[in-house]
Structure formats: C-alpha cells, structure tokens
Amino acid sequence: LHAATLGLELIGVPVGADRVEVDALQRLDADVLVLTPSHQWPTGAVLSAEARTAVVEWARARDAVIIEDDYDAEFRYDRAPIGAIHGLAPDRVAYAGTASKTLVPGFRLGWLVLPDALVEPFAAAKLVADRGSPVLDQLTFADFLRRGEFDRHLRRLRPVYRARRDALVAALAQRLGDLRPTGIAAGLHLVAWLPDDLDETEVVQAARAHGVAVAGIEPYRVAPATQGGLIFGYSSISESAIRRGIDLLAEAIAGLRSGGPSPRA
Ligand SMILES: Cc1ncc(COP(=O)(O)O)c(C=O)c1O
C-alpha cells in the first residue's frame, strides 16, 4: 500500500510452499523484489536454499535489489535459525528488521542493512520522511541489547508463544480437523487453509458474530484467491482463551455447514 502511494507499480509474483516462481519473475520488468523469506507473510512458508540462490541470481542478472523483510523470525519453535539472504549477496539485498514483533509495534523502531550504494540515498529519504527516529528510544534499545536483555527477553517469551501455538494447533486438530494449518514453525501467527465447502468471507463473518476475531487471507493477496484461509494471531491470547475461541469458531462453522441461522448471529 505504501509503495503504491509513492507511485511505485506493484506486481505480484506467485509463491509456492517454499519458493518464488523465478520463471514468472523473469518475465516481469521489476527493479525490486520484496520478500519475507524466513516466514512468508502471511502463509508462514520458508524460502528454500535453492529459491534463495535463484532470486539472488535473478537480482544479479537484472541489476535489481531484493528487500529482505525479516520481520518475525526471532520467535521460532521447531526449526533451526535460517540464514538471511543478505549474507549471500550483501551488494544486492537490503535487509530490514523491526522491534515490532519482538517488543511492541508502538515502539516504531526498525533497522536496515543496506548495499553500500544505497546508504546515502536511504539516509536522505529518511531525513525527508521524518527527520530521523527518536534518539532516546534508540539509546535505550542499544543498552537493552548490549546488556543481553534482548536475548533473555526472547528466551523468556519463546516457550510462552510456543505453548500458545501448541494450544491453537491442538484445538484446531480437535475441533476443526479439516482446516489445514501451515507456517507454524515460527512467528506469532499461523494460516489455516479452508476446505472447499467453506467460503472465507462467510467464515470470518460467522466467527465475528460468535465473538471471534479472525482475519481472512484474501485482503493480503495480490491476485484473486484460489483457496480460502484464516489468519490466527496467537501471541496475546491465553491458552484457555485460544481453546474457547476455537470452540466458538467450530460452532460458527457448524452453523454455516448446517445451513441454518447461526445461533448467536
Ligand atoms: C510483513 C511485515 N513486515 C514488517 C512488519 C513490521 O512493520 P513495522 O516495523 O513497520 O511495525 C509487519 C508487521 O506486522 C509485517 O506484517
């Protein structure tokens, strides 16, 4: 959205479970590729090693830049850390990190590791955009990092989020076994694909009528949907509330499937 307001033309590139379709990319006249390779937003897919090499080769051949938006890889549960694409091609990749997922979105601090040639233009653009981020906040964060508190914070929270994720995955398996969760190994949300008989918009509305806030995947697509899906953010919900929420969602979906009026609508 922001790119569009800046007058950039946005084009979607098809992505699979662990890849970007480089053939499709080759056909586009793109100068910049934006990726969330360690936890694709929103599906949670991880870009494979082959796909990483392929996009770097594409960028080199085209003299293009890759923006690696590494927004929520710090919380990972069942997988080893994944190296950044930036490490493969520091001259081609602008790496972006944020404190929004690990600390709080309202902190409004993030960071970029840029190819040398982009440092000056980015500094100039940042100056025009907001004249720079708050110095006290940056110093506080630097101190937090230096004292090892940030690492301790991640270690403390990882089991909390893992337990919430496990509660969500278990409740989905128990109450809504034909929804297919994906991207569960990291991050603070998961996507569950809907079976063909369920319409995403109807499910989201029925869930809301039952008091459950769950988002559909459609607003995040560039191309029209081929399959419906629900996005579950679990970081700020207790395990018991997660179980209750899935019970309510299961009731809402049962109401849709029976074709009758939803009991609480
Ligand atoms: C794909 C993606 N990138 C980055 C961010 C973080 O953005 P910001 O650092 O502006 O809060 C988010 C936030 O949810 C996101 O979904």
Side-chain angles (χ1 to χ4, degrees), residues 50-119:
E50 299 76 47
R52 284 160 191 258
T53 310
V55 292
V56 165
E57 278 167 11
W58 167 83
R60 287 227 160 93
R62 235 202 105 66
D63 197 18
V65 171
I66 296 172
I67 298 180
E68 180 172 23
D69 179 5
D70 199 19
Y71 69 110
D72 80 343
E74 285 91 347
F75 291 116
R76 56 173 195 282
Y77 313 110
D78 326 296
R79 73 172 203 212
I82 292 164
I85 299 184
H86 181 264
L88 297 177
D91 57 324
R92 285 281 132 218
V93 180
Y95 175 92
T98 177
S100 288
K101 297 287 184 178
T102 49
L103 292 175
V104 60
F107 197 33
R108 305 312 309 145
L109 270 192
W111 45 90
L112 292 167
V113 185
L114 295 166
D116 288 346
L118 291 179
V119 172

Short mmCIF file of all heavy atoms in Angstrom, two decimals, residues 50-119:
data_model
loop_
_atom_site.label_atom_id
_atom_site.label_comp_id
_atom_site.label_asym_id
_atom_site.label_seq_id
_atom_site.Cartn_x
_atom_site.Cartn_y
_atom_site.Cartn_z
N GLU A 50 17.50 -23.36 -2.44
CA GLU A 50 17.57 -23.24 -3.91
C GLU A 50 16.89 -21.95 -4.37
O GLU A 50 17.38 -21.24 -5.24
CB GLU A 50 16.89 -24.43 -4.62
CG GLU A 50 17.49 -25.80 -4.32
CD GLU A 50 17.11 -26.31 -2.94
OE1 GLU A 50 15.91 -26.25 -2.59
OE2 GLU A 50 18.00 -26.74 -2.19
N ALA A 51 15.73 -21.68 -3.76
CA ALA A 51 14.99 -20.49 -4.17
C ALA A 51 15.76 -19.22 -3.80
O ALA A 51 15.73 -18.22 -4.53
CB ALA A 51 13.61 -20.48 -3.52
N ARG A 52 16.47 -19.26 -2.67
CA ARG A 52 17.27 -18.09 -2.27
C ARG A 52 18.36 -17.82 -3.29
O ARG A 52 18.57 -16.69 -3.73
CB ARG A 52 17.93 -18.36 -0.89
CG ARG A 52 16.94 -18.24 0.21
CD ARG A 52 17.38 -18.95 1.48
NE ARG A 52 16.24 -18.99 2.35
CZ ARG A 52 16.05 -18.18 3.40
NH1 ARG A 52 16.99 -17.34 3.74
NH2 ARG A 52 14.96 -18.24 4.11
N THR A 53 19.04 -18.91 -3.69
CA THR A 53 20.10 -18.74 -4.69
C THR A 53 19.50 -18.23 -5.99
O THR A 53 20.07 -17.36 -6.65
CB THR A 53 20.78 -20.12 -4.94
OG1 THR A 53 21.11 -20.66 -3.67
CG2 THR A 53 22.02 -19.98 -5.78
N ALA A 54 18.32 -18.77 -6.35
CA ALA A 54 17.70 -18.39 -7.63
C ALA A 54 17.32 -16.91 -7.65
O ALA A 54 17.55 -16.22 -8.65
CB ALA A 54 16.47 -19.26 -7.90
N VAL A 55 16.78 -16.39 -6.53
CA VAL A 55 16.39 -14.97 -6.56
C VAL A 55 17.62 -14.06 -6.57
O VAL A 55 17.61 -13.00 -7.19
CB VAL A 55 15.41 -14.55 -5.43
CG1 VAL A 55 14.06 -15.18 -5.61
CG2 VAL A 55 15.96 -14.82 -4.05
N VAL A 56 18.68 -14.51 -5.90
CA VAL A 56 19.92 -13.71 -5.92
C VAL A 56 20.47 -13.68 -7.34
O VAL A 56 20.89 -12.62 -7.85
CB VAL A 56 20.95 -14.27 -4.91
CG1 VAL A 56 22.34 -13.69 -5.18
CG2 VAL A 56 20.52 -13.97 -3.48
N GLU A 57 20.44 -14.83 -8.01
CA GLU A 57 20.93 -14.85 -9.41
C GLU A 57 20.09 -13.93 -10.29
O GLU A 57 20.60 -13.20 -11.13
CB GLU A 57 20.88 -16.28 -9.97
CG GLU A 57 22.10 -17.08 -9.56
CD GLU A 57 21.95 -18.56 -9.83
OE1 GLU A 57 20.99 -18.95 -10.53
OE2 GLU A 57 22.81 -19.31 -9.33
N TRP A 58 18.76 -13.97 -10.06
CA TRP A 58 17.86 -13.08 -10.80
C TRP A 58 18.27 -11.62 -10.57
O TRP A 58 18.38 -10.84 -11.52
CB TRP A 58 16.41 -13.33 -10.37
CG TRP A 58 15.49 -12.25 -10.86
CD1 TRP A 58 14.90 -12.15 -12.09
CD2 TRP A 58 15.08 -11.07 -10.13
NE1 TRP A 58 14.16 -11.00 -12.18
CE2 TRP A 58 14.25 -10.32 -10.99
CE3 TRP A 58 15.33 -10.60 -8.84
CZ2 TRP A 58 13.67 -9.12 -10.59
CZ3 TRP A 58 14.76 -9.39 -8.44
CH2 TRP A 58 13.94 -8.67 -9.31
N ALA A 59 18.48 -11.27 -9.30
CA ALA A 59 18.80 -9.87 -8.97
C ALA A 59 20.12 -9.45 -9.61
O ALA A 59 20.24 -8.32 -10.12
CB ALA A 59 18.84 -9.69 -7.45
N ARG A 60 21.10 -10.36 -9.58
CA ARG A 60 22.41 -10.02 -10.17
C ARG A 60 22.27 -9.79 -11.67
O ARG A 60 22.78 -8.81 -12.21
CB ARG A 60 23.40 -11.17 -9.93
CG ARG A 60 23.84 -11.27 -8.49
CD ARG A 60 25.37 -11.43 -8.39
NE ARG A 60 25.83 -11.07 -7.07
CZ ARG A 60 26.00 -11.93 -6.08
NH1 ARG A 60 25.76 -13.22 -6.27
NH2 ARG A 60 26.41 -11.50 -4.91
N ALA A 61 21.55 -10.73 -12.33
CA ALA A 61 21.42 -10.65 -13.79
C ALA A 61 20.67 -9.39 -14.20
O ALA A 61 20.92 -8.81 -15.25
CB ALA A 61 20.70 -11.90 -14.31
N ARG A 62 19.74 -8.95 -13.37
CA ARG A 62 18.87 -7.82 -13.74
C ARG A 62 19.33 -6.49 -13.16
O ARG A 62 18.70 -5.47 -13.39
CB ARG A 62 17.47 -8.10 -13.19
CG ARG A 62 16.41 -8.06 -14.22
CD ARG A 62 15.05 -7.83 -13.67
NE ARG A 62 14.59 -6.46 -13.91
CZ ARG A 62 14.32 -5.94 -15.09
NH1 ARG A 62 14.48 -6.65 -16.18
NH2 ARG A 62 13.92 -4.69 -15.21
N ASP A 63 20.37 -6.55 -12.34
CA ASP A 63 20.81 -5.36 -11.63
C ASP A 63 19.68 -4.84 -10.73
O ASP A 63 19.42 -3.63 -10.66
CB ASP A 63 21.29 -4.28 -12.61
CG ASP A 63 22.14 -3.24 -11.91
OD1 ASP A 63 22.63 -3.53 -10.80
OD2 ASP A 63 22.30 -2.13 -12.45
N ALA A 64 18.97 -5.76 -10.11
CA ALA A 64 17.83 -5.41 -9.26
C ALA A 64 18.22 -5.54 -7.78
O ALA A 64 19.28 -6.06 -7.45
CB ALA A 64 16.66 -6.34 -9.57
N VAL A 65 17.33 -5.06 -6.92
CA VAL A 65 17.57 -5.11 -5.48
C VAL A 65 16.50 -6.01 -4.84
O VAL A 65 15.33 -5.97 -5.24
CB VAL A 65 17.49 -3.69 -4.88
CG1 VAL A 65 17.51 -3.72 -3.36
CG2 VAL A 65 18.62 -2.83 -5.41
N ILE A 66 16.92 -6.80 -3.85
CA ILE A 66 15.96 -7.58 -3.06
C ILE A 66 15.81 -6.90 -1.70
O ILE A 66 16.82 -6.57 -1.06
CB ILE A 66 16.47 -9.02 -2.85
CG1 ILE A 66 16.58 -9.75 -4.19
CG2 ILE A 66 15.56 -9.79 -1.89
CD1 ILE A 66 17.25 -11.11 -4.11
N ILE A 67 14.56 -6.65 -1.30
CA ILE A 67 14.33 -6.17 0.06
C ILE A 67 13.92 -7.38 0.90
O ILE A 67 12.89 -8.01 0.64
CB ILE A 67 13.24 -5.08 0.10
CG1 ILE A 67 13.70 -3.87 -0.72
CG2 ILE A 67 12.95 -4.68 1.55
CD1 ILE A 67 12.73 -2.72 -0.76
N GLU A 68 14.76 -7.73 1.85
CA GLU A 68 14.51 -8.90 2.70
C GLU A 68 13.87 -8.42 3.99
O GLU A 68 14.54 -7.90 4.88
CB GLU A 68 15.84 -9.62 2.98
CG GLU A 68 15.67 -10.83 3.86
CD GLU A 68 16.95 -11.65 4.00
OE1 GLU A 68 18.04 -11.09 3.80
OE2 GLU A 68 16.84 -12.85 4.30
N ASP A 69 12.56 -8.57 4.08
CA ASP A 69 11.81 -8.11 5.24
C ASP A 69 11.79 -9.25 6.26
O ASP A 69 10.98 -10.16 6.19
CB ASP A 69 10.39 -7.74 4.77
CG ASP A 69 9.50 -7.26 5.92
OD1 ASP A 69 10.01 -7.13 7.04
OD2 ASP A 69 8.30 -7.02 5.67
N ASP A 70 12.73 -9.19 7.21
CA ASP A 70 12.88 -10.28 8.19
C ASP A 70 12.14 -9.89 9.46
O ASP A 70 12.74 -9.62 10.49
CB ASP A 70 14.38 -10.48 8.46
CG ASP A 70 14.66 -11.84 9.06
OD1 ASP A 70 13.82 -12.74 8.94
OD2 ASP A 70 15.74 -12.00 9.66
N TYR A 71 10.81 -9.88 9.36
CA TYR A 71 10.02 -9.19 10.39
C TYR A 71 9.70 -10.03 11.61
O TYR A 71 9.43 -9.48 12.66
CB TYR A 71 8.72 -8.65 9.77
CG TYR A 71 7.76 -9.77 9.38
CD1 TYR A 71 6.57 -9.97 10.07
CD2 TYR A 71 8.06 -10.63 8.34
CE1 TYR A 71 5.71 -10.98 9.74
CE2 TYR A 71 7.21 -11.66 8.01
CZ TYR A 71 6.04 -11.84 8.71
OH TYR A 71 5.20 -12.86 8.40
N ASP A 72 9.68 -11.36 11.49
CA ASP A 72 9.29 -12.10 12.70
C ASP A 72 9.96 -13.46 12.86
O ASP A 72 9.38 -14.40 13.37
CB ASP A 72 7.77 -12.24 12.80
CG ASP A 72 7.21 -13.35 11.93
OD1 ASP A 72 7.93 -13.80 11.02
OD2 ASP A 72 6.08 -13.80 12.18
N ALA A 73 11.24 -13.54 12.47
CA ALA A 73 11.92 -14.85 12.54
C ALA A 73 12.52 -15.13 13.91
O ALA A 73 13.00 -16.22 14.16
CB ALA A 73 13.01 -14.91 11.48
N GLU A 74 12.50 -14.13 14.81
CA GLU A 74 13.16 -14.35 16.10
C GLU A 74 12.43 -15.41 16.93
O GLU A 74 13.06 -16.12 17.70
CB GLU A 74 13.23 -13.06 16.91
CG GLU A 74 14.28 -12.08 16.41
CD GLU A 74 13.70 -11.11 15.39
OE1 GLU A 74 12.58 -11.35 14.90
OE2 GLU A 74 14.38 -10.11 15.08
N PHE A 75 11.10 -15.47 16.77
CA PHE A 75 10.38 -16.50 17.51
C PHE A 75 10.21 -17.71 16.61
O PHE A 75 9.40 -17.72 15.70
CB PHE A 75 9.02 -15.96 17.98
CG PHE A 75 9.19 -14.91 19.05
CD1 PHE A 75 8.78 -13.62 18.84
CD2 PHE A 75 9.79 -15.23 20.26
CE1 PHE A 75 8.97 -12.65 19.81
CE2 PHE A 75 9.99 -14.27 21.23
CZ PHE A 75 9.57 -12.97 21.01
N ARG A 76 11.05 -18.71 16.85
CA ARG A 76 10.93 -19.95 16.09
C ARG A 76 10.91 -21.08 17.10
O ARG A 76 11.48 -20.98 18.18
CB ARG A 76 12.07 -20.09 15.08
CG ARG A 76 13.40 -20.01 15.71
CD ARG A 76 14.56 -20.30 14.82
NE ARG A 76 15.69 -20.52 15.71
CZ ARG A 76 16.36 -19.54 16.30
NH1 ARG A 76 16.07 -18.29 16.06
NH2 ARG A 76 17.33 -19.82 17.14
N TYR A 77 10.20 -22.15 16.75
CA TYR A 77 9.89 -23.17 17.73
C TYR A 77 10.47 -24.54 17.37
O TYR A 77 11.04 -25.20 18.21
CB TYR A 77 8.37 -23.26 17.91
CG TYR A 77 7.76 -21.89 18.08
CD1 TYR A 77 6.98 -21.33 17.09
CD2 TYR A 77 8.04 -21.13 19.21
CE1 TYR A 77 6.46 -20.05 17.22
CE2 TYR A 77 7.53 -19.85 19.35
CZ TYR A 77 6.74 -19.32 18.36
OH TYR A 77 6.25 -18.05 18.48
N ASP A 78 10.30 -24.97 16.15
CA ASP A 78 10.71 -26.34 15.79
C ASP A 78 11.72 -26.32 14.66
O ASP A 78 11.77 -27.25 13.87
CB ASP A 78 9.50 -27.17 15.30
CG ASP A 78 8.23 -26.81 16.00
OD1 ASP A 78 8.17 -27.01 17.21
OD2 ASP A 78 7.30 -26.32 15.33
N ARG A 79 12.46 -25.26 14.53
CA ARG A 79 13.40 -25.26 13.42
C ARG A 79 14.64 -24.46 13.81
O ARG A 79 14.57 -23.58 14.67
CB ARG A 79 12.75 -24.68 12.15
CG ARG A 79 12.56 -23.19 12.23
CD ARG A 79 12.10 -22.59 10.93
NE ARG A 79 12.44 -21.18 10.92
CZ ARG A 79 11.73 -20.24 10.31
NH1 ARG A 79 10.64 -20.56 9.63
NH2 ARG A 79 12.11 -18.99 10.34
N ALA A 80 15.75 -24.79 13.15
CA ALA A 80 16.99 -24.06 13.40
C ALA A 80 16.87 -22.68 12.77
O ALA A 80 16.06 -22.48 11.87
CB ALA A 80 18.15 -24.83 12.77
N PRO A 81 17.69 -21.72 13.26
CA PRO A 81 17.66 -20.41 12.62
C PRO A 81 18.04 -20.51 11.15
O PRO A 81 18.81 -21.39 10.77
CB PRO A 81 18.70 -19.59 13.39
CG PRO A 81 19.39 -20.51 14.31
CD PRO A 81 18.65 -21.80 14.36
N ILE A 82 17.47 -19.63 10.36
CA ILE A 82 17.74 -19.67 8.93
C ILE A 82 18.57 -18.44 8.57
O ILE A 82 18.23 -17.33 8.99
CB ILE A 82 16.41 -19.66 8.16
CG1 ILE A 82 15.70 -20.99 8.42
CG2 ILE A 82 16.62 -19.43 6.68
CD1 ILE A 82 14.26 -20.97 8.05
N GLY A 83 19.64 -18.64 7.84
CA GLY A 83 20.50 -17.51 7.47
C GLY A 83 19.74 -16.54 6.58
O GLY A 83 18.83 -16.91 5.84
N ALA A 84 20.12 -15.27 6.67
CA ALA A 84 19.47 -14.25 5.84
C ALA A 84 19.99 -14.34 4.41
O ALA A 84 21.14 -14.71 4.18
CB ALA A 84 19.75 -12.87 6.41
N ILE A 85 19.14 -14.00 3.45
CA ILE A 85 19.59 -13.91 2.05
C ILE A 85 20.68 -12.84 1.95
O ILE A 85 21.57 -12.94 1.12
CB ILE A 85 18.42 -13.54 1.11
CG1 ILE A 85 17.34 -14.61 1.16
CG2 ILE A 85 18.90 -13.40 -0.33
CD1 ILE A 85 16.22 -14.34 0.19
N HIS A 86 20.57 -11.84 2.80
CA HIS A 86 21.56 -10.77 2.80
C HIS A 86 22.99 -11.30 2.82
O HIS A 86 23.88 -10.78 2.14
CB HIS A 86 21.30 -9.85 4.00
CG HIS A 86 22.25 -8.71 4.08
ND1 HIS A 86 23.38 -8.73 4.85
CD2 HIS A 86 22.26 -7.53 3.43
CE1 HIS A 86 24.03 -7.60 4.70
NE2 HIS A 86 23.37 -6.85 3.84
N GLY A 87 23.19 -12.39 3.59
CA GLY A 87 24.53 -12.97 3.69
C GLY A 87 25.04 -13.51 2.36
O GLY A 87 26.24 -13.58 2.12
N LEU A 88 24.11 -13.90 1.49
CA LEU A 88 24.51 -14.45 0.17
C LEU A 88 24.95 -13.35 -0.78
O LEU A 88 25.76 -13.59 -1.67
CB LEU A 88 23.33 -15.18 -0.49
CG LEU A 88 22.76 -16.42 0.19
CD1 LEU A 88 21.57 -16.94 -0.60
CD2 LEU A 88 23.84 -17.48 0.30
N ALA A 89 24.36 -12.16 -0.62
CA ALA A 89 24.61 -11.10 -1.60
C ALA A 89 24.43 -9.73 -0.95
O ALA A 89 23.46 -9.02 -1.23
CB ALA A 89 23.65 -11.25 -2.78
N PRO A 90 25.36 -9.34 -0.07
CA PRO A 90 25.20 -8.05 0.63
C PRO A 90 25.13 -6.85 -0.32
O PRO A 90 24.61 -5.81 0.05
CB PRO A 90 26.45 -7.96 1.50
CG PRO A 90 27.13 -9.27 1.43
CD PRO A 90 26.59 -10.05 0.28
N ASP A 91 25.62 -7.05 -1.55
CA ASP A 91 25.60 -5.94 -2.52
C ASP A 91 24.27 -5.83 -3.25
O ASP A 91 24.03 -4.88 -3.98
CB ASP A 91 26.71 -6.16 -3.56
CG ASP A 91 26.56 -7.51 -4.25
OD1 ASP A 91 26.15 -8.50 -3.58
OD2 ASP A 91 26.82 -7.59 -5.47
N ARG A 92 23.38 -6.80 -3.07
CA ARG A 92 22.10 -6.85 -3.82
C ARG A 92 20.90 -6.79 -2.89
O ARG A 92 19.78 -6.65 -3.35
CB ARG A 92 21.99 -8.20 -4.58
CG ARG A 92 22.81 -8.33 -5.78
CD ARG A 92 22.17 -7.60 -6.94
NE ARG A 92 23.16 -6.78 -7.57
CZ ARG A 92 22.94 -5.57 -8.06
NH1 ARG A 92 21.75 -5.05 -8.01
NH2 ARG A 92 23.90 -4.88 -8.60
N VAL A 93 21.13 -7.04 -1.58
CA VAL A 93 20.00 -7.24 -0.67
C VAL A 93 19.96 -6.15 0.39
O VAL A 93 20.97 -5.88 1.05
CB VAL A 93 20.11 -8.62 0.03
CG1 VAL A 93 18.93 -8.84 0.98
CG2 VAL A 93 20.16 -9.74 -1.00
N ALA A 94 18.80 -5.51 0.53
CA ALA A 94 18.56 -4.59 1.64
C ALA A 94 17.81 -5.37 2.72
O ALA A 94 16.69 -5.83 2.49
CB ALA A 94 17.73 -3.40 1.16
N TYR A 95 18.46 -5.54 3.85
CA TYR A 95 17.87 -6.36 4.92
C TYR A 95 17.13 -5.45 5.90
O TYR A 95 17.69 -4.46 6.39
CB TYR A 95 19.00 -7.10 5.65
CG TYR A 95 18.53 -7.87 6.86
CD1 TYR A 95 18.16 -9.20 6.76
CD2 TYR A 95 18.45 -7.25 8.10
CE1 TYR A 95 17.71 -9.90 7.87
CE2 TYR A 95 18.00 -7.94 9.21
CZ TYR A 95 17.63 -9.26 9.08
OH TYR A 95 17.17 -9.94 10.18
N ALA A 96 15.87 -5.79 6.20
CA ALA A 96 15.08 -4.97 7.12
C ALA A 96 14.66 -5.78 8.34
O ALA A 96 14.16 -6.90 8.21
CB ALA A 96 13.82 -4.45 6.40
N GLY A 97 14.89 -5.22 9.51
CA GLY A 97 14.44 -5.85 10.76
C GLY A 97 13.57 -4.86 11.52
O GLY A 97 13.54 -3.66 11.20
N THR A 98 12.86 -5.34 12.52
CA THR A 98 11.94 -4.49 13.28
C THR A 98 11.82 -4.99 14.72
O THR A 98 12.01 -6.18 14.98
CB THR A 98 10.54 -4.50 12.63
OG1 THR A 98 9.64 -3.72 13.42
CG2 THR A 98 9.96 -5.90 12.50
N ALA A 99 11.52 -4.04 15.62
CA ALA A 99 11.25 -4.43 17.00
C ALA A 99 9.76 -4.68 17.21
O ALA A 99 9.33 -4.99 18.31
CB ALA A 99 11.73 -3.34 17.95
N SER A 100 8.98 -4.56 16.15
CA SER A 100 7.52 -4.61 16.30
C SER A 100 7.02 -5.96 16.79
O SER A 100 6.03 -6.04 17.52
CB SER A 100 6.84 -4.28 14.98
OG SER A 100 6.97 -2.91 14.71
N LYS A 101 7.66 -7.06 16.37
CA LYS A 101 7.19 -8.38 16.78
C LYS A 101 7.86 -8.83 18.07
O LYS A 101 7.24 -9.52 18.87
CB LYS A 101 7.47 -9.41 15.67
CG LYS A 101 6.75 -9.14 14.37
CD LYS A 101 5.27 -9.45 14.50
CE LYS A 101 4.57 -9.27 13.17
NZ LYS A 101 3.16 -9.60 13.24
N THR A 102 9.12 -8.47 18.24
CA THR A 102 9.83 -8.97 19.42
C THR A 102 9.53 -8.13 20.66
O THR A 102 9.53 -8.64 21.77
CB THR A 102 11.35 -8.94 19.19
OG1 THR A 102 11.69 -7.66 18.68
CG2 THR A 102 11.77 -10.02 18.22
N LEU A 103 9.30 -6.84 20.49
CA LEU A 103 8.99 -5.98 21.64
C LEU A 103 7.55 -5.51 21.54
O LEU A 103 6.67 -6.15 22.08
CB LEU A 103 9.97 -4.81 21.71
CG LEU A 103 11.41 -5.23 22.05
CD1 LEU A 103 12.35 -4.04 21.98
CD2 LEU A 103 11.50 -5.87 23.43
N VAL A 104 7.33 -4.44 20.79
CA VAL A 104 5.96 -3.93 20.67
C VAL A 104 5.88 -3.05 19.42
O VAL A 104 6.82 -2.30 19.13
CB VAL A 104 5.58 -3.15 21.97
CG1 VAL A 104 6.50 -1.98 22.19
CG2 VAL A 104 4.14 -2.69 21.97
N PRO A 105 4.79 -3.17 18.64
CA PRO A 105 4.71 -2.38 17.40
C PRO A 105 4.79 -0.88 17.66
O PRO A 105 5.37 -0.14 16.86
CB PRO A 105 3.35 -2.75 16.81
CG PRO A 105 2.94 -4.01 17.49
CD PRO A 105 3.65 -4.06 18.81
N GLY A 106 4.26 -0.42 18.80
CA GLY A 106 4.23 1.01 19.10
C GLY A 106 5.61 1.62 19.34
O GLY A 106 5.75 2.83 19.39
N PHE A 107 6.62 0.78 19.50
CA PHE A 107 7.98 1.27 19.69
C PHE A 107 8.47 1.99 18.42
O PHE A 107 9.25 2.93 18.48
CB PHE A 107 8.87 0.06 20.01
CG PHE A 107 10.20 0.39 20.62
CD1 PHE A 107 10.36 1.46 21.48
CD2 PHE A 107 11.29 -0.42 20.35
CE1 PHE A 107 11.60 1.74 22.04
CE2 PHE A 107 12.53 -0.15 20.91
CZ PHE A 107 12.69 0.93 21.76
N ARG A 108 8.01 1.56 17.27
CA ARG A 108 8.34 2.16 15.97
C ARG A 108 9.84 2.25 15.72
O ARG A 108 10.35 3.27 15.27
CB ARG A 108 7.71 3.56 15.81
CG ARG A 108 6.22 3.68 16.00
CD ARG A 108 5.40 2.66 15.26
NE ARG A 108 5.69 2.54 13.85
CZ ARG A 108 5.63 1.37 13.21
NH1 ARG A 108 5.32 0.25 13.82
NH2 ARG A 108 5.89 1.33 11.94
N LEU A 109 10.56 1.17 16.04
CA LEU A 109 11.97 1.14 15.68
C LEU A 109 12.24 -0.07 14.79
O LEU A 109 11.79 -1.18 15.08
CB LEU A 109 12.85 1.03 16.93
CG LEU A 109 13.32 2.32 17.59
CD1 LEU A 109 14.41 2.01 18.61
CD2 LEU A 109 13.84 3.34 16.59
N GLY A 110 12.97 0.17 13.74
CA GLY A 110 13.41 -0.90 12.86
C GLY A 110 14.80 -0.57 12.37
O GLY A 110 15.37 0.46 12.75
N TRP A 111 15.37 -1.42 11.55
CA TRP A 111 16.73 -1.17 11.07
C TRP A 111 16.90 -1.75 9.67
O TRP A 111 16.15 -2.65 9.25
CB TRP A 111 17.77 -1.79 12.02
CG TRP A 111 17.41 -3.17 12.45
CD1 TRP A 111 17.75 -4.33 11.84
CD2 TRP A 111 16.60 -3.53 13.58
NE1 TRP A 111 17.22 -5.40 12.52
CE2 TRP A 111 16.51 -4.94 13.60
CE3 TRP A 111 15.95 -2.80 14.59
CZ2 TRP A 111 15.79 -5.63 14.57
CZ3 TRP A 111 15.23 -3.50 15.55
CH2 TRP A 111 15.17 -4.88 15.54
N LEU A 112 17.87 -1.20 8.96
CA LEU A 112 18.16 -1.66 7.60
C LEU A 112 19.66 -1.92 7.49
O LEU A 112 20.46 -1.16 8.04
CB LEU A 112 17.81 -0.57 6.58
CG LEU A 112 16.34 -0.23 6.38
CD1 LEU A 112 16.23 1.07 5.57
CD2 LEU A 112 15.65 -1.35 5.61
N VAL A 113 20.01 -3.01 6.82
CA VAL A 113 21.41 -3.23 6.44
C VAL A 113 21.42 -3.13 4.92
O VAL A 113 20.79 -3.94 4.23
CB VAL A 113 21.91 -4.62 6.89
CG1 VAL A 113 23.40 -4.75 6.59
CG2 VAL A 113 21.63 -4.84 8.37
N LEU A 114 22.12 -2.11 4.42
CA LEU A 114 21.96 -1.75 3.00
C LEU A 114 23.22 -2.01 2.19
O LEU A 114 24.34 -1.89 2.72
CB LEU A 114 21.65 -0.25 2.90
CG LEU A 114 20.32 0.18 3.49
CD1 LEU A 114 20.30 1.70 3.63
CD2 LEU A 114 19.17 -0.29 2.61
N PRO A 115 23.07 -2.32 0.89
CA PRO A 115 24.22 -2.28 0.00
C PRO A 115 24.84 -0.88 0.06
O PRO A 115 24.12 0.11 0.18
CB PRO A 115 23.61 -2.53 -1.39
CG PRO A 115 22.31 -3.21 -1.13
CD PRO A 115 21.83 -2.70 0.20
N ASP A 116 26.17 -0.81 -0.03
CA ASP A 116 26.87 0.48 0.13
C ASP A 116 26.24 1.61 -0.69
O ASP A 116 26.06 2.72 -0.20
CB ASP A 116 28.35 0.33 -0.27
CG ASP A 116 29.11 -0.48 0.76
OD1 ASP A 116 28.57 -0.67 1.87
OD2 ASP A 116 30.22 -0.94 0.44
N ALA A 117 25.90 1.26 -1.93
CA ALA A 117 25.43 2.31 -2.85
C ALA A 117 24.09 2.90 -2.41
O ALA A 117 23.70 3.98 -2.87
CB ALA A 117 25.31 1.75 -4.26
N LEU A 118 23.37 2.20 -1.53
CA LEU A 118 22.04 2.68 -1.13
C LEU A 118 22.05 3.45 0.19
O LEU A 118 21.04 4.02 0.59
CB LEU A 118 21.07 1.50 -1.03
CG LEU A 118 20.69 0.83 -2.36
CD1 LEU A 118 19.73 -0.33 -2.11
CD2 LEU A 118 20.03 1.84 -3.29
N VAL A 119 23.18 3.45 0.89
CA VAL A 119 23.19 4.06 2.22
C VAL A 119 22.86 5.56 2.15
O VAL A 119 21.95 6.02 2.84
CB VAL A 119 24.56 3.83 2.90
CG1 VAL A 119 24.65 4.63 4.20
CG2 VAL A 119 24.76 2.35 3.19
#
